[in-house]
Amino acid sequence: MAKMEFKKQDRKQLKQTKPVEETVISRPSKTFDIKDMEKNETNKNPVGRPRKNKKYGTVRLQKNNVNRINSIQNSLGYITQDDLVSALLDKAERELSNEQKIMFEMYMKTYQNRSSKHS
């Protein structure tokens, strides 16, 4: 059997380190300029508080239905979710039978009276 030999490193000799290359700092393609902001002051889609003289409430929906409403809103070109829901409710009201219309009007009066008492 052949005799094995181990080659020991000379620990007194320092290891050679690899040179570190300088990292080049990347530059953005476009930077902020206040003049661009001044040009785009007219925002076509205002964000913030709703229009005055309107009262808003909250409706809790499942996330799946929220996604459906947003998809239909964008597909049909409605500006707001409120516009879409109003259009869909108007269509549903037109399709009510006579008995359903009577019940609907009774419920509407009840809910309107209830909301006016809490205001």
Side-chain angles (χ1 to χ4, degrees):
M1 203 156 124
K3 191 174 186 183
M4 296 184 88
E5 290 184 25
F6 291 103
K7 295 182 180 178
K8 294 183 179 179
Q9 293 178 352
D10 187 11
R11 292 186 182 182
K12 292 178 184 175
Q13 183 183 9
L14 295 175
K15 291 183 180 179
Q16 293 290 332
T17 58
K18 294 181 182 179
V20 178
E21 296 177 11
E22 181 181 354
T23 304
V24 180
I25 298 174
S26 61
R27 300 284 178 202
S29 60
K30 186 176 179 183
T31 59
F32 175 77
D33 188 10
I34 193 69
K35 293 177 183 175
D36 291 340
M37 292 294 291
E38 291 171 352
K39 291 178 187 175
N40 296 331
E41 281 186 21
T42 56
N43 190 0
K44 293 180 182 177
N45 297 327
V47 178
R49 295 180 181 224
R51 295 181 206 114
K52 294 181 179 179
N53 301 327
K54 288 190 175 184
K55 293 184 180 181
Y56 288 85
T58 303
V59 178
R60 294 179 60 114
L61 300 171
Q62 292 180 4
K63 188 66 175 172
N64 183 38
N65 288 331
V66 172
N67 294 337
R68 289 173 63 196
I69 287 174
N70 290 333
S71 298
I72 292 173
Q73 173 194 349
N74 291 324
S75 299
L76 299 179
Y78 287 98
I79 297 171
T80 63
Q81 294 171 343
D82 190 44
D83 295 337
L84 170 66
V85 172
S86 293
L88 293 174
L89 291 174
D90 290 341
K91 182 178 179 181
E93 283 181 47
R94 286 191 300 269
E95 295 175 358
L96 292 176
S97 67
N98 288 336
E99 292 177 7
Q100 290 172 329
K101 284 181 184 179
I102 293 169
M103 291 301 296
F104 172 76
E105 290 170 5
M106 288 174 49
Y107 281 124
M108 278 298 293
K109 289 178 184 177
T110 303
Y111 287 122
Q112 287 172 345
N113 288 337
R114 184 188 298 173
S115 65
S116 66
K117 288 180 184 178
H118 292 294
S119 295

